[in-house]
């Protein structure tokens, strides 16, 4: 046998990709397929689950073929996936009973609101670490059972299966041999007791989901079965699974308490590892499973920013700044110092820690000599200041995680800008580590699979394969940083509903 390679399958919201890594975390080859979404009604978002399954097979084959690697060099497959998206399918035929309902879908908002008004949310949060929101999987499954003719009766008769996209993908790749998920994906369903690390009978009853529908929950590095020989010509062990943000946490090497990462895409997801401590959030951050290895769960606090890169896109589409992000950044860098303009990009409401879906965006502090450069600079700064909001909430909820010097590890499209990355360090007051490799989600899945396949003898050994990073330290004077944050905190309440 030559090289030891690990294949990662990244089943995302807009594409399905496969990336082949060597054991040192270097990408060898990759392949991808775009993914169609459908919007049958306002607020509804769906995927064709069969299209996803076919794309998974296609990209696995293409990545291995284009790499030129011998089949026996590929030792394991790791899977990461869009979290919360769910599908229900027939146990015998394997056919979905309805298109997959995507995490973005809002069709169950009224059901969540009713449960909230009935006083159920506190108990749901105590068991699952989550909030009552259509974002999560439980109300989606219940909707499918109640709205597809005959589905509930078939489910109660044990004829149907349900799962997030990792479970669906594994079931298809193993030819129906395994119905399994991992603890990180299970922790995003509203059905999983994150303390007991098992499906919660109480939550199953509350949401009306039969236990027989659900997959077995395994560690992130475990035996998830084998990809059938029909895909690559020989069986391929599946040895690692994690939801996308937890996989990125692993890909950034955040395996110890206090280590945190933020991914800056359209929005931003920030997670901080709190170790064996399940932090209870007073700021309505989510408590979630960061990883489970050798039967031991570690936890994370998670916060999301609804609008990050989307705010930079708005500069072009809304304000007519042509030339894309590079032009917007060049304009922002030309802004006058101490311009005092604040942009609150609450285009779709405010996420954590504000949680105001009806808030709307605004620009404050305009003067006669303020123009597009100042608005552009304030828009970039808004992404950093929202990050500080999350950091301060995490610091309050998990002070022990900040006992040492905290560092924010970043990836995603906005992190490609060295200038924005430095502004992030300046305005949060934290050192920032800018990853040299952006596909940390796929890498995290590969590292879990390498651990499960025995290529790494410990979580620490696997984490050493994280990409190199450029370290940026805060350079802004403390008084200037605190003045900027004070302006932000003055402006945000003005857009609240």
């Amino acid at each position: 046998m030559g090289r030891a390679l690990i294949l990662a399958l990244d089943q995302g919201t807009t594409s399905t990709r496969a990336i082949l890594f060597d054991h040192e975390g270097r990408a060898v080859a990759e392949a991808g397929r775009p993914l169609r979404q459908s919007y049958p009604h306002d607020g509804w978002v769906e995927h064709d689950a069969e299209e996803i399954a076919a794309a998974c097979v296609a990209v696995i084959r293409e990545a291995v073929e284009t790499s030129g690697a011998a089949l026996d060099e590929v030792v394991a497959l790791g899977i990461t996936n869009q979290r919360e998206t769910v599908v229900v399918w027939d146990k015998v035929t394997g056919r979905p009973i309805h298109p997959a309902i995507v995490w973005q879908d809002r069709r169950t908002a009224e059901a969540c609101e009713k449960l909230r008004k009935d006083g159920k949310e506190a108990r749901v949060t105590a068991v699952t670490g989550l909030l009552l929101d259509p974002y999560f999987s439980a109300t989606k499954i219940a909707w499918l059972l109640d709205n597809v003719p005959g589905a509930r009766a078939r489910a109660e008769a044990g004829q149907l299966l349900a799962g997030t996209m990792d479970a669906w993908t594994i079931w298809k790749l193993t030819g129906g041999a395994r119905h399994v998920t991992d603890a990180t994906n299970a922790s995003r369903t509203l059905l999983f007791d994150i303390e007991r690390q098992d499906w919660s009978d109480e939550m199953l009853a509350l949401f009306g989901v039969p236990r027989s529908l659900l997959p077995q929950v395994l560690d992130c590095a475990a035996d998830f079965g084998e990809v059938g020989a029909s895909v690559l010509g020989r069986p391929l062990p599946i040895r690692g699974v994690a939801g996308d943000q937890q996989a990125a946490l692993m890909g950034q090497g955040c395996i110890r308490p206090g280590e945190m990462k933020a991914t800056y895409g359209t929005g931003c997801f920030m997670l901080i590892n709190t170790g064996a401590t399940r932090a209870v959030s007073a700021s309505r951050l989510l408590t979630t499973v960061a990883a489970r290895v050798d039967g031991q769960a570690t936890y994370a606090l998670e916060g999301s920013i609804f609008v990050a890169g989307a705010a930079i896109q708005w500069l072009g589409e809304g304000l007519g700044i042509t030339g894309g992000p590079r032009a917007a950044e060049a304009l922002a860098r030309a802004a006058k110092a101490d311009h005092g303009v604040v942009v609150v990009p609450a285009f779709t409401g405010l996420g954590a820690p504000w949680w105001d879906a009806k808030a709307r965006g605004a620009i404050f502090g305009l003067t006669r000599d303020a123009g597009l450069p100042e608005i552009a600079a304030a828009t970039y700064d808004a992404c950093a200041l929202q990050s500080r909001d999350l950091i301060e909430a995490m610091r309050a909820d998990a002070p022990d995680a900040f006992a040492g010097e905290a560092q924010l590890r970043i990836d995603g499209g906005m992190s490609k800008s060295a200038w924005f990355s430095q502004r992030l360090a300046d305005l949060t007051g934290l050192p920032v580590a800018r990853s040299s490799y952006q596909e940390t989600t796929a890498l995290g899945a590969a590292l879990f699979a390498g651990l499960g396949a025995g290529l790494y003898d410990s979580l620490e050994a696997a984490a050493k394969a994280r990409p190199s990073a450029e370290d940026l330290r805060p350079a802004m004077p403390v008084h200037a940083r605190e003045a900027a944050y004070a302006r932000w905190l003055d402006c945000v309440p003005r857009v609240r509903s």
Side-chain angles (χ1 to χ4, degrees):
M1 179 176 170
R3 299 173 295 173
L5 302 175
I6 313 162
L7 187 62
L9 178 64
D10 184 354
Q11 201 299 292
T13 310
T14 58
S15 68
T16 300
R17 294 181 303 154
I19 304 179
L20 198 59
F21 293 94
D22 67 18
H23 77 284
E24 294 181 344
R26 294 182 294 243
V28 174
E30 64 179 276
R33 294 286 186 281
L35 181 58
R36 292 179 298 126
Q37 288 185 315
S38 58
Y39 310 93
H41 301 288
D42 183 38
W44 292 29
V45 190
E46 296 178 351
H47 283 322
D48 180 340
E50 292 282 19
E51 178 192 348
I52 289 174
C56 290
V57 171
V59 297
I60 285 172
R61 287 174 174 162
E62 185 179 338
V64 174
E65 289 170 3
T66 58
S67 73
L71 280 181
D72 64 354
E73 292 180 318
V74 185
V75 298
L77 173 69
I79 295 174
T80 184
N81 56 289
Q82 50 171 320
R83 303 174 302 175
E84 299 94 18
T85 297
V86 73
V87 63
V88 176
W89 67 96
D90 186 284
K91 196 175 188 176
V92 176
T93 68
R95 285 195 292 269
I97 66 169
H98 186 277
I101 301 181
V102 180
W103 59 271
Q104 299 153 312
D105 191 281
R106 306 298 294 177
R107 77 186 66 185
T108 62
E110 287 186 11
C112 291
E113 184 59 29
K114 182 180 185 304
L115 288 167
R116 192 177 296 110
K117 286 180 178 178
D118 289 343
K120 303 296 186 184
E121 186 169 63
R123 183 58 187 159
V124 168
T125 302
V127 174
T128 70
L130 308 177
L131 304 173
L132 275 172
D133 195 276
Y135 176 41
F136 304 110
S137 309
T139 55
K140 293 178 170 67
I141 298 173
W143 187 94
L144 289 167
L145 298 185
D146 291 334
N147 287 272
V148 175
R152 184 163 289 283
R154 292 168 66 192
E156 291 172 352
Q159 298 171 6
L160 300 179
L161 299 175
T164 44
M165 299 317 295
D166 59 310
W168 163 249
T169 300
I170 293 167
W171 197 86
K172 294 292 282 187
L173 289 174
T174 62
R178 300 296 299 275
H179 186 216
V180 290
T181 188
D182 87 294
T184 69
N185 276 294
S187 76
R188 310 297 294 190
T189 61
L190 286 173
L191 300 171
F192 192 67
D193 186 324
I194 61 171
E195 194 74 43
R196 292 179 50 249
Q197 290 292 299
D198 192 11
W199 300 118
S200 164
D201 289 330
E202 182 183 358
M203 294 298 110
L204 293 172
L206 178 65
F207 291 102
V209 176
R211 182 183 275 262
S212 62
L213 276 176
L214 300 176
Q216 179 186 4
V217 182
L218 304 179
D219 289 354
C220 298
D223 181 356
F224 291 86
E226 291 184 333
V227 177
S230 62
V231 176
L232 286 175
R234 72 167 182 84
L236 176 63
I238 306 170
R239 292 295 182 264
V241 176
D244 54 10
Q245 298 307 318
Q246 285 93 336
L249 196 69
M250 177 63 185
Q252 285 278 27
C254 297
I255 62 171
R256 299 173 189 84
E259 293 178 331
M260 62 178 157
K261 73 92 192 174
T263 299
Y264 291 89
T266 300
C268 169
F269 288 94
M270 185 182 294
L271 285 82
I272 184 167
N273 189 318
T274 62
T277 302
R278 177 191 164 187
V280 177
S281 177
S283 307
R284 290 169 62 82
L285 299 179
L286 305 177
T287 305
T288 195
V289 176
R292 197 173 86 188
V293 175
D294 294 331
Q296 297 298 310
T298 54
Y299 297 95
L301 281 173
E302 176 176 330
S304 58
I305 297 169
F306 292 165
V307 175
I312 311 309
Q313 189 177 16
W314 166 76
L315 290 173
E317 296 176 353
L319 298 186
I321 298 173
T322 58
R326 286 190 178 182
E329 179 185 317
L331 194 64
R333 295 176 73 166
K336 292 183 288 293
D338 301 321
H339 53 75
V341 176
V342 176
V343 172
V344 183
F347 306 143
T348 55
L350 290 168
W354 307 100
W355 292 113
D356 189 342
K358 295 182 180 179
R360 288 298 175 261
I363 302 174
F364 299 94
L366 290 176
T367 58
R368 181 64 183 83
D369 61 347
L372 284 179
E374 289 69 36
I375 293 173
T379 302
Y380 276 95
D381 284 355
C383 299
L385 292 163
Q386 290 178 100
S387 302
R388 170 128 183 216
D389 282 341
L390 291 180
I391 290 165
E392 295 303 331
M394 290 175 174
R395 196 191 306 273
D397 289 336
D400 290 348
F402 287 84
E405 183 184 47
Q407 178 195 63
L408 182 61
R409 300 176 185 178
I410 64 170
D411 52 58
M414 290 187 71
S415 73
K416 294 178 182 178
S417 165
W419 175 78
F420 168 72
S421 301
Q422 183 61 54
R423 290 297 290 176
L424 187 62
D426 286 343
L427 289 169
T428 61
L430 291 184
V432 166
R434 185 166 73 109
S435 179
S436 61
Y437 180 67
Q438 298 300 309
E439 304 303 334
T440 56
T441 300
L443 176 59
L447 297 180
F448 277 128
L451 184 62
L455 283 183
Y456 309 112
D457 59 13
S458 67
L459 199 59
E460 291 73 19
K464 287 180 181 178
R466 65 175 281 235
S468 61
E470 178 186 9
D471 292 325
L472 303 166
R473 300 195 70 83
M476 178 183 283
V478 173
H479 68 86
R481 175 169 61 247
E482 295 309 312
Y485 191 50
R487 283 195 298 272
W488 171 259
L489 293 178
D490 178 62
C491 292
V492 171
R494 301 175 191 225
V495 307
R496 301 286 302 275
S497 63

